[in-house]
Amino acid sequence: MSTYTEEVGNKLNELLEKTYDAEKGFKKAAENTENKQLKSFFEIKAKQRYDFGHELKAEIKTFGQNVDKGDSMAGKAHRAWMDVKALFSLDNAEAMLEEANRGEKAAIEEYNDVLEDTSLPSTTATILRSHKVAIENSLSNIKILENVR
């Protein structure tokens, strides 16, 4: 049984790390735009990821596992790339939306990978499906924002 909970805990900790990365990335994007609609969108997404993080931490603790606190190198690189794009892009709104779109698609793939594990407890699967649906909805919002700009 300990291997099972450790495995679930490790998978959730990986998602948690990427959730931290996304939260920081959305905060950074909000700081890098003066477009009010984009700023609001990115702030809402940062808050959403903050909430996701708390849900994931609670689920990890439910299994008696330690919560990893960290910041992945990929996340740092992604935020640095958004900074560079914001500085050098003539249309930084478009560049930031493209990055947000790419990040959200990657997040959906990561959630799908974890959800494929048939040994996930039902509470975990429910939380992950809820997060995934919210991320999928944000892809639609990104498309709308791309057309409104």
Side-chain angles (χ1 to χ4, degrees):
M1 187 68 165
S2 67
T3 304
Y4 165 75
T5 57
E6 186 175 326
E7 181 180 332
V8 170
N10 289 339
K11 287 179 180 190
L12 294 182
N13 267 307
E14 287 175 20
L15 272 181
L16 180 60
E17 182 177 283
K18 291 172 182 174
T19 298
Y20 287 144
D21 290 341
E23 177 190 355
K24 291 174 187 172
F26 284 123
K27 283 181 180 177
K28 182 65 86 172
E31 293 168 8
N32 284 334
T33 187
E34 298 199 11
N35 179 306
K36 289 180 183 179
Q37 283 182 303
L38 286 182
K39 185 177 286 294
S40 175
F41 173 75
F42 290 137
E43 288 170 347
I44 289 167
K45 292 304 296 178
K47 171 71 168 92
Q48 179 189 62
R49 287 312 206 285
Y50 173 85
D51 294 342
F52 286 1
H54 281 283
E55 291 176 6
L56 290 170
K57 282 192 266 189
E59 192 70 4
I60 292 166
K61 288 176 182 178
T62 296
F63 294 104
Q65 299 297 305
N66 292 326
V67 174
D68 293 341
K69 295 190 179 195
D71 193 5
S72 73
M73 288 306 295
K76 289 178 185 175
H78 184 74
R79 288 190 301 279
W81 181 239
M82 285 187 82
D83 285 344
V84 169
K85 279 188 149 184
L87 286 173
F88 295 108
S89 175
L90 293 175
D91 184 4
N92 69 355
E94 181 179 349
M96 285 192 282
L97 285 170
E98 286 173 8
E99 283 302 302
N101 191 49
R102 189 181 70 72
E104 294 294 73
K105 286 181 179 177
I108 290 169
E109 288 178 26
E110 291 154 3
Y111 273 85
N112 282 337
D113 288 346
V114 178
L115 284 165
E116 285 177 3
D117 184 340
T118 57
S119 68
L120 285 177
S122 61
T123 57
T124 303
T126 299
I127 290 168
L128 297 182
R129 278 194 291 276
S130 170
H131 291 183
K132 183 181 151 208
V133 166
I135 295 167
E136 288 169 338
N137 289 339
S138 83
L139 283 174
S140 299
N141 292 336
I142 291 169
K143 294 280 184 225
I144 292 167
L145 286 168
E146 286 175 336
N147 293 330
V148 169
R149 281 181 316 94

